[in-house]
């Protein structure tokens, strides 16, 4: 039990050395860290919002948009699929959205079965639910076909939209240059955004509140201006407002091209030298844009962002090369924000801020001072108690405790974990748990001595028997920490992360490292009696 082969000794020492190396950057000034060579570890603990200060926002998604987008997509899919159906185009009329379904009337009864089969091919199974699909295709009133999104399909689409929204938000925040944002889903339709160090959230709020849905659509020149002014759109068209001027315009529902094919967007200048936004499509989008403009020379088309018309220029010729420029009443700052929106991609759902607060850095500094004082007091008190109670074995316990603190900091620096105020509480709790294992070991050794066992036998049995209890107890603690991390949020997760890392490192230092120190001392000193 007390024997250590050389490979195990070197493994333990290497682990401790690595822990020290990865923990050291936390105690070096940031300016010095930047001057170090690239191969030197420079990762440090990320301080959470409550320690560093910053901005907190809770965003709520308008999940009703998911159903509407699903229906809009089904309408377009039905039009495309029926036109290219196997065996020839299916003849139909009255295609449109009716309530919570897309409906159409097949005019040739002999094509009804082929129409239903064609539309069912575009539905897909949902998750692992046997037989469940995202859309139900049915025949009503003889030759009327409906496509209705199922509840499971809407739930799946909502989850997908929320996951995409989280990634889009992350890209937008990264474009701003802020570090270590925390972006997590909360519940079914909310997203929590925490950006440490950001004291003015107005730019972030404006950036996250826009969906950035970019579309290019033809203007419906056949629409009656009086009807458009009254809010009545012709079939196949829709009425949209201008972004920076009064009035509305009728545009075709079907987009020539969307921002999904956009690969880059930058701040540029228009012909007058004013700030503008340049954009570039990928190869597929460039070909579609060139074809669309080539086929509609002389016609006006609308550039639409978030269902508002930015401008409606006339197509004077085919726009080749897959790039263009959007001009308007932009400042350099607003043009840069617009470019970021386009680069990061569109949000699949509209988000609104339902909770917002700013934490000042002074409050975080106070928390750090209070947490450091609590941790330092705990270490000193535990160290004194262990040394007074267990003598030499208490000293070993204190050394293990210090190494444990260093390893926790090192591991958290490597994995990029964020230290929050509840995390400091978890750290203080870990200090007590770290020496708890040594208390068990030391008391077991005392028991064996009282039974009359020799020095080596008492230590061997003490470590062996106590280790079983230590593993059982800490396994339970790890399970609890994992449950808190999986089902908790915010402060609970921060506490669970530090607690989990602390349990793992404390078992390593309190059992393995202390056993190595005791083994080396017994081998070199060969004491006849133990004072413990």
């Amino acid at each position: 039990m007390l024997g250590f082969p050389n490979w195990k000794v070197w493994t333990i020492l290497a682990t401790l050395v690595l822990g020290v190396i990865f923990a050291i950057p936390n105690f070096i000034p940031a300016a010095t860290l930047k001057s170090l060579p690239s191969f030197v570890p420079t990762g440090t603990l990320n301080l959470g919002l409550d320690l560093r200060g910053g901005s907190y926002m809770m965003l709520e998604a308008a999940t009703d948009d998911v159903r509407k987008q699903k229906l809009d997509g089904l309408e377009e899919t039905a039009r495309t699929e029926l036109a290219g159906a196997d065996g020839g185009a299916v003849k139909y009329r009255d295609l449109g959205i009716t309530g919570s379904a897309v409906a159409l009337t097949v005019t040739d009864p002999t094509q009804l079965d082929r129409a239903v089969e064609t539309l069912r091919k575009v539905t897909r199974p949902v998750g692992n639910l046997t037989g469940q699909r995202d859309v139900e295709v049915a025949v009503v009133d003889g030759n009327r076909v409906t496509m209705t999104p199922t509840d499971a399909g809407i739930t799946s689409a909502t989850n997908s939209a929320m996951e995409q929204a989280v990634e889009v938000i992350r890209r937008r925040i990264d474009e701003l240059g802020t570090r270590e944002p925390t972006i997590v889903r909360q519940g079914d339709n909310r997203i929590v955004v925490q950006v440490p160090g950001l004291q003015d959230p107005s730019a972030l709020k404006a950036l996250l509140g826009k969906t950035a849905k970019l579309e290019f659509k033809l203007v419906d020149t056949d629409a009656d201006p009086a009807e458009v002014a009254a809010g009545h759109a012709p079939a196949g068209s829709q009425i949209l407002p201008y972004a920076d001027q009064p009035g509305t315009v009728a545009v075709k529902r079907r987009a020539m091209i969307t921002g999904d094919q956009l690969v880059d967007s930058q701040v540029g200048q228009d012909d007058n030298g004013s700030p503008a936004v340049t954009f570039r499509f990928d190869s597929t989008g460039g070909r579609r844009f060139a074809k669309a403009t080539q086929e509609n020379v002389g016609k006006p088309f609308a550039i639409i962002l978030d269902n508002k018309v930015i401008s409606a220029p006339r197509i004077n010729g085919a726009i080749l090369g897959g790039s263009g420029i959007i001009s308007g009443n932009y400042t350099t700052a607003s043009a840069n924000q617009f470019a970021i929106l386009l680069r990061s991609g569109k949000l699949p759902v509209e988000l609104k801020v339902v909770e917002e607060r700013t934490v000042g850095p002074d409050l975080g500094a106070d928390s750090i001072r209070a947490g450091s004082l609590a941790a330092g007091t705990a270490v000193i008190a535990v160290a004194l108690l262990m040394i007074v109670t267990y003598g030499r074995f208490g000293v070993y316990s204190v050394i293990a405790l210090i190494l444990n603190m260093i390893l926790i900091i090192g591991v958290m620096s490597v994995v990029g974990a964020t230290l929050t105020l509840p995390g400091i509480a978890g750290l203080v709790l870990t200090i007590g748990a770290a020496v708890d294992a040594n208390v068990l070991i030391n008391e077991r050794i005392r028991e064996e001595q009282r039974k009359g066992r020799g020095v080596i036998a008492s230590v061997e049995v003490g470590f062996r028997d106590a280790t079983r209890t230590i593993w059982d107890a800490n396994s339970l603690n790890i399970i609890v920490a994992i449950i808190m991390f999986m089902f908790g949020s915010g402060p609970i997760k921060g506490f669970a992360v530090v607690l989990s890392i602390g349990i793992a490192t404390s078992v390593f230092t309190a059992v393995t490292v202390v056993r190595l120190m005791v083994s080396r001392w017994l081998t070199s000193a060969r004491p006849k009696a133990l004072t413990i």
Side-chain angles (χ1 to χ4, degrees):
M1 184 73 180
L2 293 176
F4 280 85
N6 288 334
W7 68 267
K8 186 176 288 188
V9 173
W10 286 112
T11 301
I12 295 171
L13 293 177
T15 302
L16 296 175
V17 169
L18 284 175
V20 172
I21 291 174
F22 287 120
I24 283 176
N26 291 280
F27 307 99
I28 297 177
T32 305
L33 284 178
K34 292 180 180 179
S35 64
L36 295 177
S38 58
F39 63 85
V40 177
T42 56
T44 59
L45 280 173
N46 299 325
L47 297 182
L49 191 69
D50 49 0
L51 297 181
R52 183 178 170 187
S55 297
Y56 170 97
M57 287 185 191
M58 180 179 288
L59 306 171
E60 186 173 74
T63 49
D64 289 343
D65 288 353
V66 176
R67 186 178 293 274
K68 184 179 181 300
Q69 292 171 14
K70 186 76 171 178
L71 291 172
D72 290 340
L74 285 176
E75 182 182 4
E76 186 61 34
T77 298
R79 181 178 288 109
T80 303
E81 293 298 321
L82 293 177
D86 295 338
V90 175
K91 298 178 181 178
Y92 62 90
R93 60 181 171 82
D94 301 333
L95 172 61
I97 299 173
T98 304
S100 60
V102 171
L104 60 98
T105 301
V106 179
T107 56
D108 185 352
T110 62
Q111 295 182 326
L112 182 61
D113 290 341
R114 185 150 58 88
V116 172
E117 186 64 27
T118 299
L119 295 178
R120 279 179 178 163
K121 285 181 180 178
V122 300
T123 67
R124 58 184 179 83
V126 179
N128 298 321
L129 300 176
T130 306
Q132 272 280 27
R133 305 191 76 81
D134 64 333
V135 177
E136 181 181 353
V137 180
V139 178
V140 297
D141 299 333
N143 60 344
R144 188 78 169 159
V145 181
T146 61
M147 300 178 71
T148 307
T150 63
D151 291 340
I154 293 298
T155 299
S156 176
T158 300
N159 284 333
S160 177
M162 293 301 293
E163 290 173 3
Q164 183 182 345
V166 168
E167 291 307 313
V168 171
I169 290 172
R170 193 182 308 280
R171 288 197 296 268
R172 290 184 184 181
I173 292 177
D174 288 343
E175 288 276 1
L176 282 177
T178 37
R179 294 181 63 244
E180 299 113 22
T182 299
I183 306 165
V184 294
R185 281 184 63 180
Q186 189 170 86
D188 294 330
N189 65 335
R190 289 187 171 186
I191 299 174
V192 171
V193 179
Q194 299 182 53
V195 187
L198 182 66
Q199 298 301 320
D200 181 13
S202 56
L204 177 65
K205 185 178 178 180
L207 197 62
L208 299 184
K210 295 183 179 179
T211 55
K213 181 182 179 183
L214 181 68
E215 298 172 298
F216 296 83
K217 295 183 177 181
L218 285 174
V219 174
D220 189 348
T221 54
D222 296 328
D224 184 349
E227 290 291 316
V228 172
H232 303 305
S237 297
Q238 63 183 140
I239 296 175
L240 296 177
Y242 285 100
D244 54 1
Q245 68 184 61
T248 57
V249 62
V251 299
K252 297 291 186 180
R253 284 187 178 274
R254 189 174 185 180
M256 298 163 54
I257 190 171
T258 67
D260 294 338
Q261 285 85 36
L262 206 69
V263 293
D264 191 26
S265 179
Q266 300 291 337
V267 177
Q269 291 183 333
D270 59 15
D271 295 337
N272 299 321
S274 300
V277 178
T278 63
F279 61 89
R280 180 168 57 86
F281 292 110
D282 60 18
S283 57
T284 302
R287 287 194 298 269
R288 287 185 59 186
F289 194 50
K291 182 180 178 182
T293 52
Q294 191 173 29
E295 293 175 348
N296 295 281
V297 173
K299 298 179 181 178
F301 76 104
I303 302 173
I304 304 165
L305 179 69
D306 291 344
N307 291 322
K308 291 184 179 180
V309 177
I310 298 173
S311 61
R314 186 173 300 277
I315 302 174
N316 296 320
I319 303 176
L320 307 177
S323 60
I325 186 169
I326 302 173
S327 58
N329 298 322
Y330 294 115
T331 63
T332 301
S334 63
N336 181 59
Q337 187 179 88
F338 186 14
I340 290 175
L341 288 171
L342 297 184
R343 280 199 305 272
S344 62
K346 71 174 183 179
L347 282 169
V349 287
E350 183 181 352
L351 297 173
K352 63 179 180 179
V353 179
V354 295
E355 184 182 350
E356 174 187 357
R357 62 176 181 264
T358 301
V359 180
D362 293 339
L363 180 61
D366 289 342
S367 299
I368 292 175
R369 283 193 294 271
S372 301
L373 178 62
T377 303
V379 169
I380 293 173
V382 168
L384 290 175
L385 178 64
M386 292 298 291
I387 293 173
V388 170
T389 306
Y390 299 111
R392 174 185 291 274
F393 282 73
V395 173
Y396 293 151
S397 300
V398 173
I399 294 173
L401 177 62
I402 295 172
L403 292 174
N404 179 51
M405 299 283 287
I406 293 173
L407 285 179
I408 291 174
I409 296 173
V411 172
M412 292 186 68
S413 301
V414 170
V415 302
T418 299
L419 182 64
T420 60
L421 189 57
I424 292 179
L427 192 62
V428 174
L429 179 63
T430 302
I431 293 172
V435 296
D436 181 59
N438 289 122
V439 170
L440 288 174
I441 293 170
N442 294 341
E443 290 299 328
R444 285 293 296 122
I445 294 174
R446 279 181 172 179
E447 285 185 21
E448 296 305 316
Q449 279 199 299
R450 285 196 291 267
K451 292 178 182 178
R453 292 184 183 271
V455 172
I456 301 297
S458 296
V459 174
E460 284 252 13
V461 175
F463 270 99
R464 185 189 64 205
D465 292 351
T467 299
R468 295 197 198 102
T469 305
I470 293 168
W471 278 109
D472 290 343
N474 284 284
S475 296
L476 181 61
N477 289 337
I478 283 286
I479 292 172
V480 172
I482 291 173
I483 292 173
M484 286 194 295
F485 182 82
M486 291 175 61
F487 298 102
S489 62
I492 302 298
K493 280 194 173 184
F495 178 83
V497 167
V498 177
L499 185 61
S500 300
I501 295 173
I503 290 171
T505 56
S506 66
V507 171
F508 171 71
T509 54
V511 177
T512 306
V513 175
V514 169
R515 188 157 58 88
L516 175 61
M517 289 189 287
V518 171
S519 173
R520 291 304 180 191
W521 173 66
L522 290 176
T523 302
S524 60
R526 298 186 180 277
K528 301 298 182 180
L530 284 180
T531 302
I532 184 172

